[in-house]
Amino acid sequence: MILNAAVPNEFSALRVITLATDPACVLRLASALGGMGVTPLATVASLEALQAWLSAHRVDIIVCEIRSECGDGLMLPSVLKALHDAGTLMQFPSIFWTGETTLNVQENLIEATVTPACEAPAKQLWVKHMGGVAISALESHSRLAQSAGISVQILRDGGPLELGDALRTVLLTLAQPDPKLQAMTFESLAEDEVINALTTGEGLRFVFQPQFELLSRRIVGAEALVRWKHPRFGEIPPAVLMPLVNRLGLDLLLFSLVEMWTLRVMLALKRENITIPIAVNASAKTLCTPNFAERLALRMRQADLPSRLLKVELTEDVQEPDELHLSASLTTIRAKGFQVSLDDFGSGAATFKLLANLSFDEMKIDGSFVRGVEQHASSRKVIAGIVNWAGLLNLSLVAEGIEDESTIPLLHRLGCRVGQGYALARPMEIDAFLNFVIEREKNG
Ligand code: C2E
Ligand code: MG
Ligand code: MG
């Protein structure tokens, strides 16, 4: 992605450190950064020296060389995480990985072992490497770092345009508030303000994001999401609100509020003869509330709505839910005719265990794979694998977090039929959502 040509001094305020041992590489990095108007604060040769720097200075970017004989570059995200967890590092610097790229031949060992040598020659694979490490392995590692909150960019060709884009991405990120710092600010939110918002509904809204059949762009469902506008801090992201709600034991109350507004939306759509399922998020704890399914079924009956219109998305708020209890609850919910979806599949190890042990109607592919689908071959392979699993387990599938129109045909080719994301439609206030769905329905 080319964002822009470099503007002189554009990057001069960035605080950059290089981590490299090979003198030729040190010179190459210094010259590439110099060409962008960046003078590194320091060049260090070991992780120990880097840690000393980080404990005393704020650093925006660490440019480091990847070499198979030295694991420092690969270890860097874990070192940063440990410093962060120990309270030494307030904000993660971005990491740029660079190194010599080569196309190496790799014997396909699996083929070689299953095919007798006399019958066919072992298949040869050409694999792209950086500094002797397969790029696909670097991509997986960078995605893992990303999910720990650390941005890693792989500079494959090391050219000035690529470096300029990477530096500009960091500049843009720095201009936005850091979510971790934001979370710390919000921690000062008084608990009674959250209790007040949930009990009075003050500042609370519910928005709805449509889900589309990717090929026809027909609306086939929607998801309800909470919004809270705090009188002093403004919009509080659900990522901050939800842990507070769960800690205060207000999750069931929130579920009831979302459910109430969702039923109102369903009734408004029913008046227009539109029947699309709407999903409501719920944690394992909420779903394990005694008589949860019975109460939900009663509400639907009172509203004269069929259960199949309400979908429950299981979110991963608890690391190790009581699977036996959860299995009983999910089975009861499904037996009452509600659909159950496994949210954010692939975002954590727990989702795989849940998929293996419990039964669902649907799984949602985590947005982190979807967002990387064009850039990372590994994301494409993971999505293709999930599509396979969904087929084997007879589950429907929703791809989440589709931000770019250009990814839609690719997702479709990989086997995703339904999707949700900013490229298709953003979450909308109730009136806007109803108008949007009704208009679409009228115009075919
Ligand atoms: P989720 O259930 O996976 O919801 C999808 C999130 O992705 C929403 O974030 C939505 O606004 C966002 N999103 C949709 N399209 C895109 C896209 O193209 N790109 C990106 N980057 N994001 C996209 P939101 O509303 O901030 O919610 C975050 C999480 O908070 C939800 O993740 C869900 O786990 C939880 N949550 C939100 N509302 C509720 C609620 O009413 N009850 C419960 N229990 N949890 C909720
Ligand atoms: Mg969800
Ligand atoms: Mg999700």
Side-chain angles (χ1 to χ4, degrees):
M1 178 182 50
I2 307 301
L3 297 174
N4 255 318
V7 178
N9 296 329
E10 189 186 1
F11 307 122
S12 56
L14 286 171
R15 285 154 297 209
V16 180
I17 280 194
T18 58
L19 169 62
T21 45
D22 174 28
C25 178
V26 171
L27 276 179
R28 213 174 40 243
L29 292 183
S31 139
L33 288 166
M36 289 287 142
V38 177
T39 310
L41 296 177
T43 296
V44 291
S46 69
L47 285 174
E48 291 71 33
L50 181 73
Q51 288 185 54
W53 253 95
L54 292 174
S55 56
H57 305 88
R58 200 183 135 191
V59 172
D60 300 319
I61 301 168
I62 303 165
V63 184
C64 81
E65 64 167 334
I66 291 293
R67 283 172 62 204
S68 57
E69 62 272 31
C70 166
D72 283 1
L74 295 174
M75 280 304 292
L76 189 52
S78 345
V79 169
L80 294 185
K81 186 164 181 307
L83 289 175
H84 185 265
D85 291 350
T88 314
L89 205 61
M90 288 300 284
Q91 214 170 341
F92 287 124
S94 292
I95 299 174
F96 292 179
W97 279 336
T98 181
E100 195 192 351
T101 47
T102 49
L103 207 55
N104 299 5
V105 81
Q106 183 170 298
E107 297 290 327
N108 188 338
L109 296 176
I110 299 170
E111 293 269 334
T113 49
V114 296
T115 316
C118 57
E119 284 181 18
K123 210 173 169 184
Q124 286 191 326
L125 284 181
W126 290 94
V127 179
K128 223 185 231 171
H129 285 68
M130 175 183 275
V133 181
I135 292 218
S136 56
L138 290 176
E139 285 174 348
S140 312
H141 195 48
S142 81
R143 216 184 35 243
L144 216 53
Q146 204 82 42
S147 65
I150 304 164
S151 158
V152 180
Q153 301 199 49
I154 306 171
L155 307 185
R156 291 151 196 264
D157 69 15
L161 281 175
E162 194 184 22
L163 179 60
D165 279 355
L167 291 168
R168 203 166 285 108
T169 305
V170 175
L171 267 188
L172 291 173
T173 323
L174 289 175
Q176 293 179 3
D178 174 29
K180 289 244 165 68
L181 285 179
Q182 231 180 353
M184 281 166 55
T185 317
F186 293 140
E187 251 165 40
S188 65
L189 288 172
E191 293 187 344
D192 52 1
E193 287 179 302
V194 179
I195 298 170
N196 182 58
L198 276 143
T199 46
T200 63
E202 223 174 278
L204 277 192
R205 283 148 34 235
F206 298 95
V207 292
F208 291 79
Q209 186 177 30
Q211 297 170 340
F212 296 79
E213 199 174 66
L214 292 179
L215 203 59
S216 64
R217 300 295 166 97
R218 210 164 50 86
I219 299 174
V220 291
E223 177 175 9
L225 297 157
V226 67
R227 295 290 177 260
W228 180 34
K229 190 165 183 185
H230 186 276
R232 275 175 296 129
F233 294 120
E235 291 289 340
I236 309 290
V240 173
L241 174 65
M242 289 316 301
L244 281 167
V245 166
N246 291 328
R247 200 172 71 219
L248 293 166
L250 298 170
D251 50 297
L252 191 61
L253 180 57
L254 175 65
F255 183 88
S256 304
L257 292 170
V258 191
E259 179 206 80
M260 180 181 81
W261 284 102
T262 302
L263 262 57
R264 287 186 189 178
V265 166
M266 281 176 183
L267 287 171
L269 290 175
K270 191 182 164 190
R271 282 194 287 276
E272 304 289 330
N273 286 323
I274 301 172
T275 50
I276 51 167
I278 302 186
V280 176
N281 292 283
S283 66
K285 179 171 165 275
T286 310
L287 298 183
C288 289
T289 312
N291 299 323
F292 179 88
E294 288 77 7
R295 206 189 50 87
L296 202 56
L298 180 67
R299 291 270 195 111
M300 294 295 278
R301 262 202 314 280
Q302 284 168 342
D304 196 21
L305 288 165
S307 317
R308 68 180 159 75
L309 287 187
L310 193 90
K311 200 181 285 176
V312 181
E313 281 186 19
L314 173 64
T315 60
E316 199 192 355
D317 293 328
V318 190
Q319 284 308 308
E320 287 286 335
D322 175 349
E323 279 189 358
L324 201 55
H325 193 167
L326 186 55
S327 171
S329 304
L330 293 187
T331 308
T332 316
I333 294 166
R334 295 184 69 214
K336 297 260 176 228
F338 298 102
Q339 295 182 62
V340 178
S341 176
L342 176 57
D343 205 357
D344 303 333
F345 181 74
S347 63
T351 52
F352 186 76
K353 203 160 164 263
L354 291 174
L355 183 74
N357 294 343
L358 306 172
S359 58
F360 296 93
D361 299 282
E362 175 189 277
M363 61 204 277
K364 295 183 85 176
I365 307 180
D366 189 54
S368 61
F369 296 113
V370 174
R371 281 188 285 280
V373 72
E374 278 183 304
Q375 300 86 349
H376 303 300
S378 54
S379 294
R380 291 193 286 281
K381 288 177 192 166
V382 169
I383 291 178
I386 296 176
V387 168
N388 248 329
W389 277 337
L392 290 170
L393 295 166
N394 206 15
L395 301 178
S396 48
L397 195 62
V398 178
E400 278 199 287
I402 304 179
E403 288 182 354
D404 296 307
E405 178 69 38
S406 57
T407 59
I408 295 173
L410 177 53
L411 287 166
H412 191 264
R413 274 204 302 282
L414 289 170
C416 300
R417 297 292 170 255
V418 175
Q420 175 181 349
Y422 297 162
L424 292 154
R426 294 215 164 223
M428 290 174 245
E429 303 290 334
I430 292 180
D431 284 344
F433 171 76
L434 289 173
N435 287 337
F436 184 84
V437 178
I438 293 166
E439 272 306 305
R440 283 284 183 116
E441 196 71 17
K442 267 193 207 147
N443 301 326

